[in-house]
């Protein structure tokens, strides 16, 4: 399998984490980076041993040696950058949320299919070994019939009216920024849409939500989700059945999981990985491109459309 040349869109923190992990992907070559400022692109390229550094993203999209782009900019920019990359004939791995509306998501999915290119939302959590082990335990019936799923994700982000997280003109709010994780993790285990029963949220002075709680039903499973900018939550996932439960600490970056029957620990798993875990999604993208696939069966286009639909429904209840 030939190595693919990656072009990195952004020289920010998330892009840095991805590049750090790309060294663990045997079929990936870190080839190019683009930033708004040439100095930022140059510094990033030097730090990670990248061959090409571009000012402006179109220059990267126009490089014929780039096979696939990883988009790690703030999510309000994702749609246009993914659109431009696909139009330039590049495969796309785009950070979550891939867009800020279901309409934008539909456009990208159709364009990728028309162009015969891979489009994949970067839900790295789905590829983590501990997450997959928890799913295996669940499918094996180790906790009996699933009854409750509880997931939260929150970190304190100081309020700044012009900051991206709190700016409504930059698609601010904790639902898009952090809520995608609880929604996605719940769907990974339940595999059914959420019928929203109750949403409680706090809306800050800029008009975006900085704290949100979602309680609903997915079939026969009660789902309790939370996201916030106000404090660090446990950031754990709990899968609770009628015979036991599974705990996934820091589920968004899951390193381990534990299985309990009542108060007794009966099984545990730790992946002992040396990486952060971003390379698993890179490996999936490389494999799909090599096989001529346009869509991951782990993170499907339907997943991305579903999450946009759920976010829109929750947002409507907040507003």
């Amino acid at each position: 399998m030939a190595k693919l040349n990656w072009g990195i869109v952004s020289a920010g923190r998330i892009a840095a984490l991805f590049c750090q992990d790309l060294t663990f992907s045997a079929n990936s070559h870190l080839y190019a980076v683009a930033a708004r400022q040439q100095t930022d692109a140059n510094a990033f390229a030097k730090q990670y041993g990248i061959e090409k550094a571009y000012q402006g993203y179109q220059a990267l999209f126009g490089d014929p040696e780039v096979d696939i782009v990883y988009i790690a900019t703030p999510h309000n920019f994702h749609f246009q950058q993914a659109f431009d990359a696909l139009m330039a004939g590049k495969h796309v791995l785009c950070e979550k949320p891939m867009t800020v509306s279901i309409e934008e998501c539909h456009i990208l999915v159709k364009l990728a299919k028309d162009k015969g290119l891979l489009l994949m939302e970067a839900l790295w959590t789905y590829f983590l070994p501990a997450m997959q082990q928890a799913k295996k335990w669940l499918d094996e019936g180790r906790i009996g019939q699933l009854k409750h799923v509880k997931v939260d994700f929150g970190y304190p982000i100081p309020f700044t009216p012009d900051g991206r997280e709190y700016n409504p003109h930059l698609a601010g709010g904790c639902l898009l920024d952090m809520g995608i994780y609880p929604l996605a993790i719940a769907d990974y285990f339940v595999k059914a849409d959420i019928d929203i029963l109750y949403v409680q949220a706090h809306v800050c002075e800029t008009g975006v939500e900085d704290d949100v709680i979602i309680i609903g039903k997915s079939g026969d499973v009660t789902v309790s989700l939370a996201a916030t900018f106000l404090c660090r939550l446990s950031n754990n996932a709990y899968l609770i059945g009628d015979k036991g439960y599974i705990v996934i600490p820091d589920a968004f970056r899951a390193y381990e999981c534990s299985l309990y029957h009542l108060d007794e620990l009966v099984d545990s798993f730790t992946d002992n990985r040396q990486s952060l875990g971003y390379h698993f999604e890179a490996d999936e993208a490389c494999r799909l491109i090599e096989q001529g696939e346009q869509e991951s069966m782990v993170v499907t286009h339907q997943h991305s459309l579903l999450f946009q639909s759920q976010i829109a429904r929750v947002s409507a209840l907040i507003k």
Side-chain angles (χ1 to χ4, degrees):
M1 183 173 173
K3 285 193 174 186
L4 297 182
N5 285 337
W6 285 82
I8 309 301
V9 178
S10 173
R13 183 180 66 86
I14 299 301
L17 296 177
F18 183 82
C19 290
Q20 178 181 323
D21 263 17
L22 211 60
T23 59
F24 293 92
S25 177
N27 302 309
S28 296
H29 174 59
L30 197 48
Y31 170 75
V33 62
R36 288 177 295 177
Q37 302 298 325
Q38 187 70 56
T39 53
D40 292 339
N42 290 343
F44 193 92
K46 182 178 180 180
Q47 182 175 359
Y48 294 100
I50 300 174
E51 298 172 35
K52 299 287 186 178
Y54 291 110
Q55 179 177 7
Y57 306 120
Q58 287 295 341
L60 184 146
F61 300 150
D63 186 331
E65 297 301 316
V66 172
D67 297 308
I68 179 171
V69 301
Y70 170 67
I71 297 174
T73 52
H75 45 259
N76 54 297
F77 299 118
H78 289 176
F79 169 74
Q80 191 60 56
Q81 291 165 349
F83 185 92
D84 291 344
L86 291 168
M87 288 297 294
K90 308 304 182 187
H91 301 285
V92 173
L93 175 65
C94 184
E95 264 306 329
K96 73 204 96 43
M98 189 160 67
T99 61
V100 298
S101 73
I102 193 169
E103 293 79 14
E104 289 181 346
C105 195
H106 273 297
I107 291 170
L108 292 184
V109 167
K110 183 179 185 303
L111 179 59
K113 290 180 178 178
D114 290 345
K115 293 284 189 178
L117 296 166
L118 174 71
L119 173 66
M120 178 176 150
E121 191 164 10
L123 281 168
W124 68 306
T125 303
Y126 277 22
F127 298 96
L128 299 178
M131 191 68 61
Q132 295 172 348
Q133 180 60 58
K135 182 69 165 61
K136 184 172 183 288
W137 285 338
L138 177 64
D139 292 344
E140 290 172 347
R142 298 284 299 276
I143 62 170
Q145 188 70 35
L146 186 63
K147 296 297 184 182
H148 285 261
V149 172
K150 301 176 183 289
V151 191
D152 56 43
F153 186 46
Y155 277 97
I157 298 179
F159 177 75
T160 53
D162 296 327
R164 179 189 62 79
E165 293 87 354
Y166 292 97
N167 190 331
H169 303 296
L170 298 178
C174 66
L175 183 58
L176 275 170
D177 204 88
M178 292 180 170
I180 184 70
Y181 274 106
L183 287 168
I185 291 171
D187 182 74
Y188 183 76
F189 294 107
V190 179
K191 297 298 182 187
D193 198 359
I194 300 173
D195 295 322
I196 304 298
L197 298 181
Y198 176 74
V199 173
Q200 176 177 301
H202 177 264
V203 177
C204 68
E205 63 187 68
T206 59
V208 303
E209 74 287 344
D210 55 9
D211 188 84
V212 61
I213 297 171
I214 305 163
I215 300 175
K217 296 285 283 188
S218 286
D220 295 328
V221 181
T222 299
V223 177
S224 305
L225 312 174
T228 189
F229 289 157
L230 302 182
C231 55
R232 191 200 190 281
L233 300 177
S234 72
N235 298 340
N236 298 341
Y238 295 88
L239 315 174
I240 304 168
D242 55 9
K243 295 181 180 178
Y245 67 95
I246 298 166
V247 183
I248 310 170
D250 278 341
F252 70 101
R253 60 186 172 197
Y255 285 89
E256 60 183 328
C257 54
S258 299
L259 173 62
Y260 290 83
H261 287 168
L262 294 179
D263 297 323
E264 180 186 0
L265 175 65
V266 296
D267 211 341
S268 63
F269 172 86
T270 303
D271 68 11
N272 295 313
R273 68 180 186 261
Q274 294 179 304
S275 69
L276 295 171
Y278 290 95
H279 69 288
F280 295 119
E281 64 183 2
D283 287 340
E284 169 80 346
C286 291
R287 181 186 67 81
L288 293 168
I289 292 169
E290 176 72 13
Q291 296 178 357
E293 301 290 340
Q294 301 169 37
E295 181 178 6
S296 169
M297 290 299 101
V298 179
V299 185
T300 66
H301 295 161
Q302 190 56 44
H303 279 112
S304 297
L305 291 165
L306 173 64
F307 302 145
Q308 288 297 323
S309 172
Q310 291 176 338
I311 289 169
R313 286 160 53 206
V314 174
S315 294
L317 291 174
I318 294 173
K319 307 302 182 188

